[in-house]
Amino acid sequence: MATTGSNGQEARAASVKDVAALAGVSLGTVSNVLNRPDRVSVQTKARVETAMAELGFVRNESARQLRAGRSNALAYIMLDGSNPFFTDVAQGIELTAEAHDLSLFTCNSGNRTDRETVYLSRLEQQRVQGVLITPVDPDDKALDELPRRGTPVVIVDRTRSTNTHCSVAVDDVLGGELAVSHLIELGHEHIAYIGGPNTLGQVRDRRRGAHKALADAGLGPDHLVDITTDALTVDEGRKAGERLAGRPASNRPTAAFCANDMLALGLLQQCVALRMAVPDDLAIVGYDDIDFAAAAAVPLTSVRQPRRELGRRAAELLLAETTDPNHEHQQVVFTPELVVRSSTRR
Amino acid sequence: MATTGSNGQEARAASVKDVAALAGVSLGTVSNVLNRPDRVSVQTKARVETAMAELGFVRNESARQLRAGRSNALAYIMLDGSNPFFTDVAQGIELTAEAHDLSLFTCNSGNRTDRETVYLSRLEQQRVQGVLITPVDPDDKALDELPRRGTPVVIVDRTRSTNTHCSVAVDDVLGGELAVSHLIELGHEHIAYIGGPNTLGQVRDRRRGAHKALADAGLGPDHLVDITTDALTVDEGRKAGERLAGRPASNRPTAAFCANDMLALGLLQQCVALRMAVPDDLAIVGYDDIDFAAAAAVPLTSVRQPRRELGRRAAELLLAETTDPNHEHQQVVFTPELVVRSSTRR
DNA sequence: GCCTCCATTTGAAAGGTTTCATCAAAACTG
DNA sequence: CAGTTTTGATGAAACCTTTCAAATGGAGGC
């Protein structure tokens, strides 16, 4: 083991040149051992490999990339690292990347445009093969720049008004419809829709679905009570619960449809705190079907999105775009599915 | 806007050389604009910047790194991306990295040694400034290699028998002690400890703390019933609940201390399913105090670890190690804190 | 003994950025 | 106005890997 000096801090990392010198071969041969081992005689190969081991040689990825002109990495910019929905999507992407022998860099914008911008620019500078992103605002012009300069960008779990990118999403209108139809079937006619802010396309689409379900059942839009939140978090769910409970019992919805599970879990918690029985006093439907939804003490009925599949497909679209030069942008839309549990049904 | 050809696929990305040519200056000047703008006259700077904009110039990070000998990125290899505890730790790291203008790459080993190895090696090849890792096995020899070759590695939320690395952890023995003392104070004398597998140091340490609490209260070790699980997941928590419920009421613990919150949430869910009241029939204490613990329908008493702080401190240690050549490895140990909620107290 | 073929190995060039010693010109100093 | 300092710009070298055309040497054919 060739440690130098005091505590293993090498003066300089060993390069192919050093390996070549020690093994008594040319630089090109070392490279051949690394990249085309079959073109090298067994003896030379062995000699080079011993030299590498002795020097603790580590390939320099920067130099490799510089030469190759691109890296072998993908990146996913997540909207909210603390929401399990996104980590599950990331898992789907990761598996696909792994299958193609690519690294995946996971970044977290935390709902902040500035962070998103910084990451986009850094990743472009890294020359990643492509970027998957769940953007803060899918219509942001900044998302056009990378593709224009040759780095493909795929939009995940959002859709864009223009089809300048590939995108993978789930039909949110249908999801809202499923949720509310289910509640109507159970006899609920006074339903709260909890979600916000309204700038989020998904919040709007899911509400639209809810209205559609009402209309199909011959109920007017006034049967849906809008409770707008500031964010899709557990904490906002709790606050929504307070607002709901604050209404006189006569004018209180008997069911709530939440724009995501984090809200629903907060609402559920508040219900318990305020001694409102779920589902008897209030039936609850969430959205996303994160693992914690099933694990809630009153397991949550939720609209399931195929999270890992979403990630997998997005990664595949990205890879298709990187390989095929004249590629047509595709908008993939998955179908959500209602998972019924105790929060709506005894 | 200098798009060429059909759909924005540039023939070749513009380089400093192209910018220099277009701006009519030398290559070195372009570099100066980028790195020491004050050494360049305003006019030249303006000219260069226009040229950059026109060509859509994007710095090539590989070349930069190659020249610099190292990247400006850190990496965190998480043990389990689906456990919010780790994503919170990651957030702490991220904020520190951001403050120092470094990128953070988050990787997920998913509890698999092979993935961990692949990531370690890739990150070393990328010449990241250092690696933060919550390893599958903190005593794995593989963790020695990177530091030996000059890439610092900091161990997060684990401790190692030898002090060859910096590490940041929380006192798990104390945590176990806090949890069980609390239960004893509430009058429980028959307590289940749910956790596993026993290869995990944390599972062992927390049990040790539990026994310590018993001893301090003058109770023998037989007052703690061991229920060993295969993993620290919600699902395993449910199974543990079944096992617990399977015992004759006369010999059933009145309280359970779970090695983490995922287990506790699973257990809680199973209790509800089996109509065991929490905390009346079974009091539950979890560990980690993830956000979902407070949001559970019976809010969970839990041992809080300073998650973001853990990440923050780990990142700082890493940065200290990268800058200070003869740096002494430090073992930072945080103190956990008991957060009492309804799952143990009415 | 000459020629061809094949398996190995070689050496140079390229890729884009940064740095640094050097130069040129302009701005002062006295 | 000659000499000196300051400011701004330059060009070459270095970072490390990969690739590819060319060279080497040995085996086999005639």
Side-chain angles (χ1 to χ4, degrees), chain B residues 36-96:
Chain B
R36 298 182 225 61
D38 43 310
R39 304 242 171 112
V40 160
S41 77
V42 270
Q43 304 94 313
T44 341
K45 195 175 150 217
R47 209 141 37 88
V48 171
E49 279 168 349
T50 344
M52 284 187 185
E54 195 169 333
L55 292 171
F57 170 74
V58 176
R59 248 182 182 170
N60 185 324
E61 186 61 25
S62 310
R64 242 174 98 99
Q65 275 181 32
L66 173 58
R67 178 63 226 236
R70 55 136 110 173
S71 78
N72 46 40
L74 302 182
Y76 176 43
I77 306 181
M78 248 181 324
L79 186 62
D80 176 8
S82 66
N83 184 343
F85 173 78
F86 293 109
T87 56
D88 285 344
V89 172
Q91 239 174 69
I93 298 173
E94 194 162 33
L95 291 175
T96 312

Side-chain angles (χ1 to χ4, degrees), chain B residues 206-221:
Chain B
R206 289 167 195 176
R207 180 188 295 112
R208 205 135 55 79
H211 277 128
K212 193 142 172 280
L214 287 174
D216 287 353
L219 297 171

